[in-house]
Amino acid sequence: TTTPQMNSFNALILTMSSSHFISLCLLFILTIASIAHATSPPTSSSPYALSLQRALFHQRQMVLKASKLRNAVPPYTTKWIDVPIDHFSFPQKAQTFHLRYLLNDQYFSGNDAPIFFYTGNEGSIEDFYNNSGVVFEWAKKFNGLIVFCEHRYYGKSKVEENKNLQWLTSEQALVDYTYCIKDVRRQYKKAGKLIAFGGSLGGMQAFQFRLKYPAWVAGAIAASAPVLSFQDHVDPYAFMKIVSDDFKDEGEFCSDAFRRGFQLIDEYANHGKYKELSSIYRTCSPLSSAADARKLKQLVNNGAVYMAMLDYATATEFLEPLPAWPVKVTCSKINKTLSDRSGEEKYLYAHVDALQVYFNTSGTATCFDIGQPGNSADNDLGYLLWSFQACSEMIMPFGSNGKTDMFYSEPWDLNAYVEYCRQEFKVEPQPYQYIERYMPQDVKSYSNVFFSNGRLDPWRSGGVFSTENPTVIPHLIKDGAHHADLRSTTDSDPASIKEARRLEEEVIAKWLAE
């Protein structure tokens, strides 16, 4: 028998959800020092998709961790509570774990002032606290209390040292949040209504929390929440098409250059021209096989996807800085390269332009690492947790075809995905479970949710854009990337992001007045 190989785009969900981006999406430490790391190494028994999962997972978390340098927010107080490990059984002596939440009460006035409650993501909660500056603006306006509750298993909220993942589910996490809220209300007895909010996976959880626990939640702001990104509800190729369209918006030459570059990598590899590829792409170690050429393509793919997700109007600190509007910057460099160089190899140099922007804006990297040894316990833990969720209940279809997008053919194969998950985690994946449990057929059966999605964000492929329910409000942000509306307000924010925040503030006021 052979192990089905999951392709690189099928594996995107195992790494980003999330969001969030910044939620995505989605996870632990990737160190970029003098060289640009694209992946963590695959194990001998695992498909290459695992290394891509780790790469995208790590990149997103490093953006979150480093962005706090630029987006300074008020300090928090760390709180801990004991929460049952399993909320859906009835043991005489329930086992518990320590759940962490962060609290800021500097704006809280009492007198029924609201609680702004962040529903945790797939990572350490302080990273999302540091990258959700708009909530402090809301709290100041509404005299509110700020609470960020960590998702079980992630960050420091470990369950039995995370040795058993059977309780790592969205439904268990939602009940955790009720325990967190009870603890907050015990301390702040004059607190009023609660507004849930979150980005990417956190946005999905905010929506789920309002849906399942409406008596606890007055309303939910669900930013970049791909709640429809599931089997039979999303086009598997839409995500990569949106990435490509972002680059195409700067000129068709830009997306065409990416596509032709990927084709050329295959052509060079077929002719054994690994030395030439190594030289052009300045890889840290010589390429010598078709597998190396595939890793090179995935390196370029990673950079393109994340520049689309992080296509913000302000620079993002990523150890080395990512410039404002990175897609525009990349295409400008590619345009110059295509004008200055002749011959087909100019399209390979266009790829190098993209790598320079995403992995080496400062110019200090001397080479690009397509994936050499370098793991840590945190890396393995983060990869394991999100991969488990993506193999159990968060199964989101992804693929590319090289026609409607600027990449290469990697068809979505649900059967191969399911078989891989069975082998890796000994679980039976449930590709339809999320929709069955959280997406009512009658949209009028839930209320008070604001779904925001950025036009530039590829995760909008699974977003909500229409509804017959006037209390469920979808909003598309013309110049928005991955939950850009949750970031701190800056002078350079596009008008469309300012408008989204105005609408969010307006609907929050409405919910609080009801």
Side-chain angles (χ1 to χ4, degrees):
T1 60
T2 58
T3 301
Q5 300 294 298
M6 290 167 49
N7 64 61
S8 59
F9 303 110
N10 295 352
L12 283 172
I13 179 56
L14 301 184
T15 68
M16 299 185 294
S17 88
S18 74
S19 48
H20 86 70
F21 191 81
I22 288 183
S23 357
L24 15 333
C25 51
L26 254 136
L27 269 168
F28 281 56
I29 304 170
L30 175 69
T31 301
I32 293 183
S34 60
I35 58 177
H37 290 277
T39 63
S40 298
T43 65
S44 57
S45 61
S46 62
Y48 178 72
L50 286 180
S51 62
L52 178 68
Q53 294 161 21
R54 290 172 176 165
L56 298 179
F57 193 66
H58 300 160
Q59 289 164 22
R60 180 169 181 259
Q61 288 307 297
M62 285 310 302
V63 171
L64 287 170
K65 291 177 183 296
S67 290
K68 66 184 179 182
L69 301 175
R70 179 178 296 273
N71 301 319
V73 295
Y76 54 78
T77 300
T78 301
K79 300 281 188 175
W80 294 90
I81 54 173
D82 288 335
V83 174
I85 290 176
D86 185 4
H87 296 296
F88 303 108
S89 62
F90 305 94
Q92 291 184 338
K93 185 174 177 58
Q95 293 178 295
T96 62
F97 73 100
H98 298 306
L99 179 69
R100 180 172 62 146
Y101 70 90
L102 311 180
L103 186 145
N104 180 291
D105 62 2
Q106 71 180 81
Y107 301 114
F108 183 64
S109 65
N111 302 318
D112 288 332
I115 299 172
F116 292 102
F117 187 88
Y118 192 99
T119 47
N121 279 73
E122 69 287 21
S124 296
I125 194 62
E126 65 267 25
D127 296 334
F128 300 94
Y129 182 97
N130 290 322
N131 284 277
S132 303
V134 71
V135 70
F136 300 95
E137 299 167 26
W138 294 341
K140 187 174 182 179
K141 179 178 180 61
F142 294 104
N143 303 311
L145 183 66
I146 297 170
V147 180
F148 279 68
C149 192
E150 194 159 60
H151 194 299
R152 58 169 48 206
Y153 285 84
Y154 290 100
K156 295 183 179 179
S157 297
K158 294 179 174 60
V159 178
E160 292 189 337
E161 294 305 312
N162 290 354
K163 294 177 181 178
N164 187 339
L165 302 184
Q166 67 172 303
W167 303 289
L168 177 52
T169 71
S170 59
E171 289 186 315
Q172 297 278 8
L174 294 181
V175 185
D176 292 344
Y177 300 149
T178 67
Y179 279 77
C180 184
I181 293 167
K182 283 189 289 187
D183 193 62
V184 170
R185 290 196 180 279
R186 177 184 58 79
Q187 300 168 69
Y188 297 88
K189 299 186 185 302
K190 293 185 177 181
K193 292 183 178 181
L194 184 142
I195 304 296
F197 74 104
S200 198
L201 177 63
M204 297 173 75
Q205 294 240 298
F207 156 68
Q208 294 161 211
F209 200 26
R210 167 61 186 172
L211 176 70
K212 293 292 187 179
Y213 297 90
W216 294 72
V217 184
I221 303 294
S224 297
V227 296
L228 294 175
S229 199
F230 293 91
Q231 190 71 24
D232 298 339
H233 288 268
V234 69
D235 176 357
Y237 303 96
F239 186 99
M240 301 308 288
K241 182 180 185 301
I242 293 171
V243 173
S244 304
D245 288 345
D246 288 351
F247 286 87
K248 189 176 180 180
D249 283 350
E250 300 300 325
E252 198 161 347
F253 71 88
C254 194
S255 56
D256 286 349
F258 273 94
R259 183 183 297 108
R260 182 57 185 144
F262 287 125
Q263 294 168 353
L264 284 172
I265 291 176
D266 288 339
E267 292 176 16
Y268 273 53
N270 290 340
H271 290 87
K273 299 170 71 173
Y274 298 113
K275 183 177 180 180
E276 290 86 344
L277 286 175
S278 301
S279 176
I280 292 172
Y281 285 90
R282 304 204 314 273
T283 58
C284 295
S285 58
L287 308 184
S288 60
S289 66
D292 286 345
R294 180 174 176 79
K295 292 178 184 180
L296 178 61
K297 290 199 297 183
Q298 289 174 329
L299 171 64
V300 180
N301 169 82
N302 294 355
V305 168
Y306 267 85
M307 282 191 283
M309 283 182 60
L310 304 177
D311 201 16
Y312 298 129
T314 55
T316 299
E317 292 292 339
F318 182 13
L319 299 185
E320 304 295 349
L322 187 66
W325 301 120
V327 170
K328 181 183 292 292
V329 172
T330 297
C331 290
S332 177
K333 290 179 178 293
I334 287 175
N335 191 32
K336 186 175 188 305
T337 292
L338 297 181
S339 298
D340 293 348
R341 290 183 177 273
S342 60
E344 285 275 85
E345 69 176 16
K346 65 185 179 182
Y347 297 108
L348 301 179
Y349 283 102
H351 278 184
V352 177
D353 289 331
L355 295 178
Q356 284 287 103
V357 173
Y358 188 70
F359 293 109
N360 189 31
T361 291
S362 69
T364 58
T366 59
C367 60
F368 294 103
D369 189 345
I370 64 168
Q372 302 305 319
N375 272 329
S376 72
D378 282 340
N379 287 346
D380 290 339
L381 175 63
Y383 147 73
L384 176 66
L385 297 177
W386 178 245
S387 296
F388 176 81
Q389 285 195 272
C391 270
S392 54
E393 62 176 348
M394 296 287 183
I395 300 168
M396 300 184 179
F398 291 93
S400 66
N401 54 35
K403 297 177 181 178
T404 61
D405 57 63
M406 66 186 193
F407 298 95
Y408 39 92
S409 179
E410 293 282 8
W412 162 245
D413 187 337
L414 176 61
N415 292 332
Y417 190 106
V418 166
E419 184 58 31
Y420 161 72
C421 291
R422 287 170 176 162
Q423 294 185 25
E424 182 70 9
F425 293 105
K426 311 305 178 188
V427 298
E428 185 60 31
Q430 301 295 321
Y432 304 100
Q433 178 173 288
Y434 185 93
I435 293 294
E436 291 169 350
R437 293 188 177 180
Y438 296 118
M439 295 303 296
Q441 292 185 357
D442 182 5
V443 71
K444 295 180 181 179
S445 64
Y446 67 97
S447 62
N448 289 16
V449 181
F450 187 98
F451 287 107
S452 63
N453 282 282
R455 184 185 64 85
L456 305 176
D457 181 15
W459 284 105
R460 72 172 167 87
S461 58
V464 173
F465 291 98
S466 63
T467 172
E468 296 177 359
N469 186 338
T471 70
V472 177
I473 305 168
H475 181 72
L476 180 64
I477 306 172
K478 178 176 179 288
D479 298 305
H482 202 47
H483 50 78
D485 47 323
L486 296 187
R487 292 165 63 85
S488 298
T489 297
T490 69
D491 293 339
S492 57
D493 287 336
S496 59
I497 292 179
K498 294 177 181 178
E499 175 64 6
R501 293 189 183 122
R502 186 192 68 78
L503 292 173
E504 288 164 352
E505 190 174 292
E506 185 178 273
V507 76
I508 288 171
K510 179 177 181 295
W511 293 337
L512 294 178
E514 289 177 345

